[in-house]
Amino acid sequence: MIDELYSARILKLAANMPHSGRLAAPQGTGERVAKLCGSKAVVDVTLDDDGRIAAFAQDVKACALGQAAAGVLGESVVGASVEEIAAARDAMAAMLKAGGEGPEGRFEGLRALKLVADYPARHASTMVAIEATLDAVRQALARKSPDTRTSLAGAA
């Protein structure tokens, strides 16, 4: 079963992480660490006028599973709204912990990590990039306009 977990697709995603690095002038930055294994993601974003991600960068130090999740995220995140990211995070958590099908739409690629559900010690590492992204977008929205705080409550 462990060989299936580290499939060629997972390893390819882990090796090819789009938007690696940091932004020079982010509007929001999120950082998450998986306490059990030390996997860490730092995400920078800027938003467009509609509150969608216009620029994205990620610095991820994680196991292959955490890097694979960050790879999928990096492929799909530009143009995403806080609501889409929150829905993907919730669907990812449900997939890992409650037998859910996983994210749909732009983040459907995260379903490649469905087998991680059988390895609870790997759940946090798999979630660090999307959690950091959600934190970064929320921070950017809060800085952008006090009126966005109301919309943040709905995406919690």
Side-chain angles (χ1 to χ4, degrees):
M1 184 82 159
I2 195 81
D3 290 338
E4 291 176 26
L5 187 60
Y6 293 99
S7 68
R9 170 130 168 84
I10 295 296
L11 295 175
K12 182 179 179 187
L13 286 167
N16 181 24
M17 192 179 318
H19 303 286
S20 289
R22 303 289 308 270
L23 294 180
Q27 293 173 328
T29 298
E31 182 175 325
R32 288 292 178 115
V33 176
K35 292 180 175 113
L36 185 62
C37 65
S39 291
K40 179 179 178 180
V42 179
V43 172
D44 295 326
V45 299
T46 61
L47 305 179
D48 65 17
D49 291 340
D50 295 323
R52 294 181 175 277
I53 293 179
F56 172 86
Q58 58 184 346
D59 182 15
V60 180
K61 308 281 191 275
C63 68
L65 299 171
Q67 289 181 356
V72 172
L73 189 69
E75 290 174 345
S76 310
V77 75
V78 174
S81 67
V82 67
E83 293 85 7
E84 288 175 298
I85 298 163
R89 186 265 330 259
D90 293 347
M92 183 77 171
M95 179 180 79
L96 294 175
K97 298 176 190 295
E101 289 302 311
E104 297 179 348
R106 77 169 60 232
F107 298 110
E108 189 171 325
L110 289 168
R111 291 179 177 196
L113 295 153
K114 190 170 179 85
L115 289 177
V116 177
D118 294 334
Y119 300 89
R122 303 283 192 214
H123 291 184
S125 177
T126 306
M127 296 292 293
V128 292
I130 198 162
E131 293 281 5
T133 301
L134 191 54
D135 291 347
V137 172
R138 286 178 172 156
Q139 184 183 87
L141 285 169
R143 287 181 175 166
K144 200 171 166 113
S145 167
D147 295 337
T148 59
R149 291 172 198 207
T150 307
S151 67
L152 291 178

